[in-house]
Structure formats: C-alpha cells, structure tokens
Amino acid sequence: MSEHLIKPIAHIKSDFDEKFGIPRQSLVVPELRAEIVFEPEYRNPDFIKGLEGYTHIWLIWQFSENLRTEVKATVRPPRLGGDKRVGVFASRSPFRPNGLGLSCVRILEITEDPGIIVSGADLMNGTPIFDIKPYVPYSDRIEDAGEGYTAGQWKKIEVIIPDEVSAVFPAEKLTALKGVLENDPRPRFHDDPDRIYGMSFAGRNIRFKVSEGVLTVVDISGK
C-alpha cells in the first residue's frame, strides 16, 4: 500500500514573525487580519467556488516551528501554571505526534488571485496550511460543551500604550496589537513586575512589562 503524503495547499501571511505573542486560540483577537496565500497549483478559483456563502472556515495547519521526533504523552499547559501535566490529547499543546493545528477564522474577503483575507488567525507568518473547510453552525456549534481546565481562565488585562509610542502604528494595527496584549502573552507562571518582555508584531519590536495586572508598553522599535 502506497503512503499518501499530505502537503501544503497554502501558507498564511500574518503579523507574527515569531511564536511569542501569538494568541493562544483563534478568534480571541478578531481585529487581527491575515491572508491565506495559495500554492501555485491551488491558485484556481474553482477550489473555493461557493465559499462566499460562508462566514467562517476551519484551517488545518502545521506547527512548523515545533516539529519534534520525540513526543511525550503528557504536557504542561500554560493555563495550569506550567507545573501540572495532562495528556497531550487533552490539551491544545503544539507539541503533538503529528504537529497539526486547527483554527477557526472569519472570512473578510475573497480576492481575485484567488486568496482569502481572514480575521482572528492564531498562526505565525509562513505557517503551512494543509486544508480548508467551511464552518457549519448546525453541526460545529455545541451549546453544552464542557470547558475542562480552561473554564474561567480567559480573562483580559488592562493595557496602556503611551501616545508617543503608539503613534508608529496605523489605527487598525494598533487596535489589533492592543487586543493581543489584552490576552497577556506571557507564560502563565511568570509574574515578575520588573521583567521586560519583547515580541514581534507587524514588523516591529514591542517591549512591555506587567505590574499589578496592568500591561504597559515601554517601547516600540523597528522599520
């Protein structure tokens, strides 16, 4: 029996050039915009014919920066403080046997290339996408779904970006950045008010600190 190898049909073009700072789930920062760029052999409008009737799509993609030959049965989810273990299949950890990710994003525009402009993506720039499927509310939405250990943990924090620092971004990028920071990109077990963190966003370097539940951007550089 011959083995069927999957290969990318597209890549994502996003504002994240590194892993740190990317939202931990899709759609939690709806202001984020990204573009799905198809590989040449799939750059045919027939592949997405009818997609304009949907508002959301599922992306099946690869944790391309976290590929490992050795996979452990348990992981330490950040939501549990980094010191408790659960089974890898009871988590959303990127360290998985096949390194596959699943994200739901909103369709903003279907371009003539063709391509797809989406919002709410939690993918790093250049991430390979293996498949795209429409989100279907009657079967994909589960009203009584349990939350497990993530229940009650999605709390936003206050973000302060001084005017002189925020001036380097256009309004739409600044709103998206604030949304990212409100979800607190730090590891859950970090709580040092004097520590300066850095992340890359939209081609710039963002430096911030967190004290008493308030995240303050101290510097934006680059470009």
Side-chain angles (χ1 to χ4, degrees), residues 111-215:
T111 65
E112 295 181 358
D113 296 326
I116 308 174
I117 308 298
V118 300
S119 68
D122 56 341
L123 284 70
M124 191 171 75
N125 188 42
T127 294
I129 298 171
F130 291 128
D131 204 358
I132 297 171
K133 297 184 179 184
Y135 175 93
V136 182
Y138 85 89
S139 62
D140 293 350
R141 182 174 57 219
I142 304 174
E143 301 293 348
D144 60 347
E147 297 181 77
Y149 58 80
T150 67
Q153 295 192 25
W154 295 102
K155 298 178 181 179
K156 294 186 177 182
I157 62 174
E158 181 182 350
V159 172
I160 297 176
I161 306 179
D163 291 341
E164 64 272 17
V165 177
S166 64
V168 301
F169 278 118
E172 67 275 8
K173 291 291 185 186
L174 185 62
T175 300
L177 172 62
K178 186 175 181 180
V180 170
L181 296 176
E182 283 177 340
N183 284 278
D184 195 353
R186 300 175 303 161
R188 284 295 178 266
F189 46 86
H190 282 203
D191 192 24
D192 181 354
D194 297 319
R195 180 167 181 169
I196 302 294
Y197 296 86
M199 58 174 276
S200 174
F201 180 78
R204 297 186 183 274
N205 299 313
I206 316 297
R207 300 175 72 238
F208 65 90
K209 62 181 181 178
V210 181
S211 178
E212 297 182 353
V214 178
L215 185 153

Side-chain angles (χ1 to χ4, degrees), residues 23-27 57-64 91-94 96 98-105 120-123 127-135 140:
R24 294 181 175 90
Q25 303 296 337
S26 59
L27 294 178
I57 50 178
W58 290 106
L59 305 179
I60 300 173
W61 49 279
Q62 183 181 54
F63 289 102
S64 52
S91 79
R92 299 280 189 110
S93 170
R96 319 187 68 78
N98 288 307
L100 294 179
L102 178 67
S103 297
C104 184
V105 296
D122 56 341
L123 284 70
T127 294
I129 298 171
F130 291 128
D131 204 358
I132 297 171
K133 297 184 179 184
Y135 175 93
D140 293 350

Side-chain angles (χ1 to χ4, degrees), residues 32-45:
L32 286 173
R33 293 173 63 97
E35 181 180 4
I36 296 171
V37 181
F38 286 99
E39 295 299 304
E41 62 188 293
Y42 299 102
R43 213 167 289 165
N44 180 334

Side-chain angles (χ1 to χ4, degrees), residues 11-26:
H11 288 75
I12 198 83
K13 184 177 180 181
S14 76
D15 284 320
F16 297 100
D17 289 323
E18 59 184 25
K19 293 179 290 183
F20 184 73
I22 297 177
R24 294 181 175 90
Q25 303 296 337
S26 59

